[in-house]
Amino acid sequence: MVASLRPGTVTGGVYDRLVARPAAGREAHHPIGEDLRSGTVTNSDLTTEAHGHGRYAEVNGVNLYFETHGAGRPLILLHGGLGSGEMFGPTLPALAERHQVILVDLQGHGRTADIDRPLDVRLLADDVAALIDHLGLDRPDVVGYSLGGWVALHTGARHPAKVGRLVAASANLRPDAIYPEMRAQQGQVNAAAAEFLTDTPMYQLYRRVAPRPDDFPKLLDKIGQAMAADFDFTEEVRGLQVPTLIVAADADMAPPSHYVEVFELLDGGRRDGGWMGEGRPKGGHALAILPGLTHYNLAESPLFAAVTLSFLDDQPS
């Protein structure tokens, strides 16, 4: 869900780059009111409160921040834990060349303030579904990484009629899939760790953009509680009715074999694909293990953008 934490250090290199340079692709931003689907959504259809290039939408009691970039079939893009939409800066331009990307800051992250409820991926998925309704989108694709990957999976599982295609990157099914040393480090994530993180890029990003910067310890507590909870998303994945791409780095937080297991739940990897692809999963599902990457740099890799676009635009259902 998040980069590993140790007192005084952050071992997730992606955050070093979040603050070291501004998110790329801002020049590709298109104002709200341009085409978000087959029809047109105007400013009057949206919550009018704005911040910079983005807008806020009141959904399920959350004042959800989002931006739009590019043009084309809508794509909702969901970030990882303790991050924000800015973590896709290096890959956003490629995605926005072919899609209208709706970049969302989830509850308590980035420019979206927290509310009095847990960070439950099912609730976050319901927020995404409510945003789809709020914007009047016609079955947008949903792409998520880490925490966002879980949210994407649950959006597809809970609201299949609202989703076109789905991409879930670095999203494990069970906590025991994660390497034991990572589980131990995740156990250190709580409000007490906040004082050790004040010099880290992830805190500096939060401090710069959050509506209530002093909520950072609360966010750490909620993230820690979410990671400490036992869960098993096997049945949610097995029941997915929308074409789904499972993505992982070859050196991810869980071993590649776990993401193969996820793919098998979607009827993948069980037989030869055949000359004409007749043996591939019937639901149009796919798997991509990306070489030379880790959990912490996958979201900003050109490979992530390439496999995502290939699946969304080029693969038959």
Side-chain angles (χ1 to χ4, degrees), residues 4-295:
S4 58
L5 302 178
R6 298 186 181 92
T9 66
V10 178
T11 60
V14 64
Y15 296 104
D16 296 326
R17 289 178 279 276
L18 281 175
V19 177
R21 62 174 182 241
R26 297 297 184 201
E27 68 280 1
H29 177 267
H30 285 242
I32 298 295
E34 296 191 13
D35 188 30
L36 287 174
R37 51 171 177 155
S38 56
T40 297
V41 178
T42 65
N43 286 340
S44 62
D45 296 315
L46 308 178
T47 301
T48 56
E49 182 183 358
H51 184 290
H53 295 295
R55 289 290 186 274
Y56 283 91
E58 187 72 29
V59 296
N60 297 339
V62 182
N63 204 23
L64 202 65
Y65 177 82
F66 67 98
E67 299 177 2
T68 57
H69 300 257
R73 193 172 76 251
L75 182 164
I76 294 178
L77 190 58
L78 305 171
H79 61 80
L82 295 182
S84 75
E86 292 192 20
M87 66 178 10
F88 294 107
T91 49
L92 181 59
L95 297 174
E97 281 183 4
R98 290 163 62 175
H99 289 262
Q100 183 150 48
V101 178
I102 301 159
L103 195 63
V104 178
D105 283 356
L106 297 168
Q107 173 196 338
H109 288 75
R111 292 179 170 87
T112 297
D114 198 11
I115 62 171
D116 185 18
R117 72 176 193 188
L119 277 177
D120 185 313
V121 293
R122 292 160 292 196
L123 299 177
L124 300 179
D126 290 346
D127 292 345
V128 173
L131 180 65
I132 291 172
D133 288 342
H134 185 85
L135 298 179
L137 302 178
D138 182 13
R139 294 177 62 86
D141 300 320
V142 180
V143 178
Y145 154 74
S146 194
L147 169 63
W150 287 353
V151 176
L153 286 173
H154 280 274
T155 304
R158 294 166 70 85
H159 307 279
K162 300 181 189 296
V163 177
R165 287 179 169 244
L166 189 156
V167 177
S170 298
N172 52 290
L173 289 181
R174 304 178 306 276
D176 63 7
I178 299 174
Y179 296 111
E181 61 272 23
M182 293 303 306
R183 291 285 290 158
Q185 291 176 31
Q186 288 180 346
Q188 301 175 28
V189 180
N190 53 48
E195 63 179 297
F196 300 106
L197 300 175
T198 55
D199 292 330
T200 63
M202 71 170 67
Y203 173 76
Q204 297 299 328
L205 170 65
Y206 186 88
R207 186 81 189 173
R208 175 167 57 84
V209 304
R212 298 194 301 264
D214 291 341
D215 279 359
F216 189 66
K218 295 179 182 178
L219 176 60
L220 291 178
D221 257 347
K222 286 190 174 184
I223 286 282
Q225 291 163 8
M227 292 191 299
D230 193 19
F231 60 86
D232 188 334
F233 299 150
T234 296
E235 293 309 313
E236 286 84 351
V237 171
R238 197 197 309 272
L240 281 170
Q241 302 172 31
V242 299
T244 299
L245 171 65
I246 302 300
V247 182
D250 61 357
D252 215 303
M253 196 176 286
S257 58
H258 178 69
Y259 302 101
V260 173
E261 177 187 349
V262 179
F263 186 46
E264 288 176 343
L265 292 172
L266 297 170
D267 195 39
R270 296 184 176 276
R271 67 191 71 83
D272 177 74
W275 286 102
M276 305 300 293
E278 65 273 13
R280 290 197 52 77
K282 299 303 181 186
H285 311 301
L287 169 70
I289 304 294
L290 304 185
L293 297 176
T294 71
H295 187 86

